[in-house]
């Protein structure tokens, strides 16, 4: 148990559906992240939020829309996805953003997304 | 182009022996390195880290070595236990960057 929870754990959706992934962290962290892990690829950073402000958007298609209503919650809204978007979506949080020892990222268990 | 490379997709080790997982990087701006461990159906779990000002960091059975001139780091697990069987990811961070760059992972199997 890392203190980061994600729901749902599994999601199957059609290309015309709209769904949302939810992440919650119970660690009092200020930064939250969305990552995508596709088969046989490294984790890819999608979005970074610090104190509810987006600070990084790594050229992610607009069919992925993040929302951070407060420092404990992060959402990823999905609409008109493609089959190649099927992957494991991981949420993470950290105390701060800088690459220092107290800012390791803690990951949730992920949502396994399948787009039909 | 991959900036963090784990060239061995898998590794098998006998219980009680040493496991050595390797990682190479290309970006000289990286100054902080981490190892994560991932079990199936779980997210990665932070294991150990090292700053570029050090060449070794030890935590119990886990030791990470950093060779900056070779842009190489390794994770040593000794003695290896069956519960260590997992996928291990190497990751790196550059000063002032928000981005943690991951390798593809190495699957470690510890055989009883």
């Amino acid at each position: 148990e890392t203190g980061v929870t994600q729901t749902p754990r599994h999601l199957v959706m059609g290309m015309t559906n709209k769904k949302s992934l939810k992440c919650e962290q119970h660690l009092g962290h200020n930064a939250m992240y969305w990552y995508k892990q596709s088969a046989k690829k490294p984790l890819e950073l999608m979005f970074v939020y610090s104190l509810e402000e987006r600070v990084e958007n790594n050229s992610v298609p607009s069919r992925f829309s993040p929302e951070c209503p407060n420092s404990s919650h992060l959402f990823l809204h999905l609409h008109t996805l493609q089959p190649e978007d099927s992957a494991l979506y991981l949420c993470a949080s950290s105390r701060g953003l800088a690459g220092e020892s107290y800012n390791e990222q803690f990951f949730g268990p992920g949502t396994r997304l399948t787009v039909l | 182009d991959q900036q963090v490379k784990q060239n061995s997709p898998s590794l098998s080790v006998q219980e009680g022996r040493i496991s050595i997982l390797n990682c190479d990087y290309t970006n000289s701006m990286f100054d902080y390195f981490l190892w994560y461990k991932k079990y199936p159906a779980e997210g990665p779990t932070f294991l150990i880290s090292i700053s570029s000002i050090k060449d070794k960091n030890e935590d119990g059975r886990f030791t990470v070595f950093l060779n900056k001139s070779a842009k190489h780091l390794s994770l040593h697990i000794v003695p290896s236990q069956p519960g260590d069987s997992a996928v291990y990811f190497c990751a790196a961070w550059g000063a002032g960057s928000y981005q943690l760059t991951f390798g593809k992972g190495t699957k470690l199997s510890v055989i009883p």
Side-chain angles (χ1 to χ4, degrees):
Chain A
E1 186 64 44
T2 61
V4 182
T5 58
Q6 289 186 245
T7 54
R9 294 293 307 273
H10 300 271
L11 178 62
V12 179
M13 59 187 289
M15 290 192 285
T16 57
N17 291 158
K18 289 185 181 182
K19 297 285 184 183
S20 296
L21 309 185
K22 180 183 175 182
C23 175
E24 184 173 0
Q25 58 95 0
H26 311 273
L27 302 167
H29 288 169
N30 291 320
M32 296 188 78
Y33 311 78
W34 279 117
Y35 284 88
K36 176 183 178 182
Q37 186 177 27
S38 304
K40 299 185 180 178
K41 284 188 175 182
L43 272 73
E44 301 171 56
L45 180 66
M46 299 176 73
F47 300 103
V48 181
Y49 277 82
S50 175
L51 297 171
E52 301 126 58
E53 296 291 325
R54 191 191 304 180
V55 295
E56 187 90 5
N57 174 357
N58 274 2
S59 302
V60 178
S62 60
R63 57 186 184 268
F64 295 92
S65 174
E67 178 190 1
C68 187
N70 55 63
S71 59
S72 298
H73 293 87
L74 186 64
F75 295 89
L76 187 62
H77 303 300
L78 316 170
H79 63 98
T80 59
L81 293 193
Q82 306 297 312
E84 59 264 29
D85 297 321
S86 298
L88 180 68
Y89 288 84
L90 289 159
C91 173
S93 71
S94 62
R95 207 167 303 195
L97 284 175
E100 297 181 14
S101 60
Y102 50 85
N103 284 328
E104 290 84 8
Q105 293 178 21
F106 292 78
F107 285 83
T111 295
R112 174 68 62 186
L113 174 67
T114 303
V115 182
L116 301 176
Chain B
D1 183 37
Q2 264 196 281
Q3 297 186 64
V4 176
K5 298 178 185 178
Q6 293 177 258
N7 292 319
S8 298
S10 62
L11 174 69
S12 289
V13 171
Q14 205 74 29
E15 180 179 6
R17 302 283 191 133
I18 184 171
S19 295
I20 300 176
L21 297 107
N22 293 305
C23 177
D24 297 291
Y25 62 97
T26 57
N27 189 339
S28 56
M29 298 301 290
F30 288 150
D31 61 0
Y32 196 73
F33 304 89
L34 307 91
W35 284 94
Y36 282 84
K37 173 180 173 180
K38 185 180 185 299
Y39 293 117
E42 294 183 14
T45 303
F46 169 71
L47 195 57
I48 192 169
S49 62
I50 188 167
S51 165
S52 60
I53 62 173
K54 295 185 175 181
D55 54 19
K56 177 183 174 181
N57 188 25
E58 191 172 352
D59 183 2
R61 296 186 297 115
F62 302 91
T63 303
V64 56
F65 295 92
L66 175 62
N67 182 334
K68 280 181 294 184
S69 60
K71 292 192 176 70
H72 176 83
L73 64 155
S74 60
L75 174 68
H76 293 211
I77 306 172
V78 56
S80 301
Q81 299 173 354
D84 296 329
S85 298
V87 177
Y88 289 78
F89 292 97
C90 171
W93 218 328
S97 170
Y98 310 130
Q99 181 131 357
L100 192 60
T101 302
F102 283 84
K104 288 186 178 181
T106 297
K107 183 176 181 180
L108 173 66
S109 299
V110 179
I111 304 160

